[in-house]
Amino acid sequence: MGVWDSILRGGGRRFLKRKDSDAGEAGRALEDLRGSLYNDFHTSEGAKRQQQRFCGPIVALTFNFVVSVGIIMANKVVMGTVGFNFPVALSLIHYVVAWALMAVLKALYLLPIAPPSKSTPFSSLFTLGAVMSFSTGLANISLKHNSVGFYQMAKIAVTPTIVVAEFILFQKKVSLRKVITLVVVSFGVAVATVTDLEFNFFGAFIALAWIIPSAVNKILWSNLQQGGNWTALALMWKTTPITIFFFIVLMPSLDPPGLLSFNWSFKNSSAIIISALFGFLLQWSGALALGATSALSHVVLGQFKMVVIVLLGYLVFNSDPGITSLCGAIIALGGMSVYTYFGMKESATGGKRNTSNSRQNSNFPKSKVIRDGEKPETRPVDTV
């Protein structure tokens, strides 16, 4: 019996040691998982990786497209049925609601962490917030004081402005074949959507003043996200208060009087709040699209939305835009398809080039060691 007791005791001790070892490994795995989750959700680098993982270019552009159609319908109800003819005040309400929603996300620890303040100068964030207010506010005022045709012509002018601005600011060049496709797209959109060009001096001044802020706004959103560890929501959280401040400054001079005397009934207020919710989604989806693609791609998406509206009106609602507009829409769609093909081809070429360079860099030290036949420890070290 003493022999069996000693054997069982030894086996029991080994079993307990193995159990403790397994528990230690499980604890380390749990700590590693916690650290991974913390890096994914509580650091700017991890949040950026999660955004890139779950919201690629196709998802971001589709999200922005769907929301854009929704806000067009919501704003038609607010401006038309409700009669809320205060475009800057409406933009202010949109951004205040967006800021309140992001404050709730931050209180629930769901708002992505922003990069360290030293990584991005405050002047860049301030410029983006100011430009965003002018871009959004002037766009709504331009739509109010101009015909739809003149408004579309101003939107088309944003494309060459972005090309010139990116070349001046970042020495970024666009290939000749992409320039040709952009010209074809702009021509097709102009033919499809520009049906009336009623000239209004004040409206024309506002439209021209809107072009540069709109182009710079898209460029800054794209470059700040792609050049640093900014996510869309983190950048919105930092810049929205600046945008709200400029809206408050602009509202008395650009909006007509009568805001306080507006009929703030439950029905009217509900329509405005729904429009504001769409405004938050539009701002978020636009930021995601600009972070995942480029300023030019976002402009092409905006032109694609106008062409789709023209074609859907003809195919679904039996509207008759005319043979000229339909031909222009088809030309624009063809140009957009070619532009998308060139963009995907350039991205694939760039990805292959980066992969081959990384492989060469990773293989170089290994081949040198094999050729020399030396161990790193025995290799003489030069001292300075």
Side-chain angles (χ1 to χ4, degrees), residues 126-383:
F126 183 84
T127 302
L128 178 57
V131 167
M132 190 160 46
S133 64
F134 282 98
S135 174
T136 306
L138 292 176
N140 289 336
I141 297 171
S142 175
L143 187 58
K144 179 181 178 182
H145 291 279
N146 288 310
S147 62
V148 176
F150 199 91
Y151 177 75
Q152 288 302 319
M153 287 297 291
K155 289 186 70 174
I156 292 172
V158 173
T159 302
T161 305
I162 289 177
V163 174
V164 174
E166 287 190 326
F167 178 75
I168 294 174
L169 296 174
F170 307 106
Q171 287 74 47
K172 185 177 180 180
K173 297 180 181 179
V174 182
S175 61
L176 178 61
R177 56 187 184 182
K178 272 193 172 183
V179 171
I180 294 174
T181 55
L182 287 172
V183 171
V184 172
V185 169
S186 299
F187 173 76
V189 172
V191 172
T193 60
V194 179
T195 55
D196 58 330
L197 284 174
E198 298 177 6
F199 184 79
N200 177 327
F201 181 77
F202 178 75
F205 173 77
I206 293 294
L208 292 175
W210 167 77
I211 292 173
I212 293 179
S214 176
V216 174
N217 179 45
K218 295 178 185 298
I219 292 171
L220 288 178
W221 269 106
S222 181
N223 280 275
L224 281 176
Q225 289 188 82
Q226 295 180 7
N229 288 318
W230 286 99
T231 59
L233 283 175
L235 196 53
M236 286 167 59
W237 173 252
K238 291 291 186 179
T239 56
T240 297
I242 302 171
T243 305
I244 291 174
F245 168 77
F246 277 95
F247 276 139
I248 294 173
V249 173
L250 292 172
M251 188 170 60
S253 58
L254 295 178
D255 264 356
L259 177 63
L260 297 178
S261 60
F262 178 74
N263 180 21
W264 293 94
S265 64
F266 177 77
K267 179 182 178 181
N268 293 347
S269 299
S270 299
I272 293 173
I273 293 299
I274 291 173
S275 171
L277 293 175
F278 273 106
F280 166 70
L281 293 177
L282 180 67
Q283 184 188 358
W284 184 25
S285 63
L288 288 172
L290 286 166
T293 56
S294 66
L296 273 179
S297 298
H298 193 255
V299 171
V300 172
L301 174 67
Q303 295 171 340
F304 174 72
K305 287 182 283 191
M306 294 305 304
V307 171
V308 168
I309 289 173
V310 172
L311 293 178
L312 284 179
Y314 174 73
L315 296 174
V316 178
F317 300 105
N318 297 321
S319 63
D320 187 15
I323 187 65
T324 303
S325 294
L326 291 176
C327 290
I330 294 173
I331 292 172
L333 280 179
M336 291 171 192
S337 301
V338 176
Y339 177 85
T340 304
Y341 170 75
F342 285 152
M344 294 175 65
K345 190 174 180 181
E346 289 179 2
S347 299
T349 304
K352 289 180 180 178
R353 189 182 299 114
N354 293 334
T355 302
S356 62
N357 290 338
S358 63
R359 286 178 178 174
Q360 290 176 0
N361 292 335
S362 61
N363 290 334
F364 179 74
K366 183 177 180 181
S367 61
K368 187 173 182 180
V369 172
I370 294 173
R371 185 179 66 249
D372 293 341
E374 296 176 349
K375 293 183 180 180
E377 294 80 0
T378 60
R379 184 174 299 176
V381 180
D382 295 332
T383 57

Side-chain angles (χ1 to χ4, degrees), residues 115-126:
S117 57
K118 61 181 180 180
S119 64
T120 304
F122 177 75
S123 57
S124 299
L125 299 177
F126 183 84

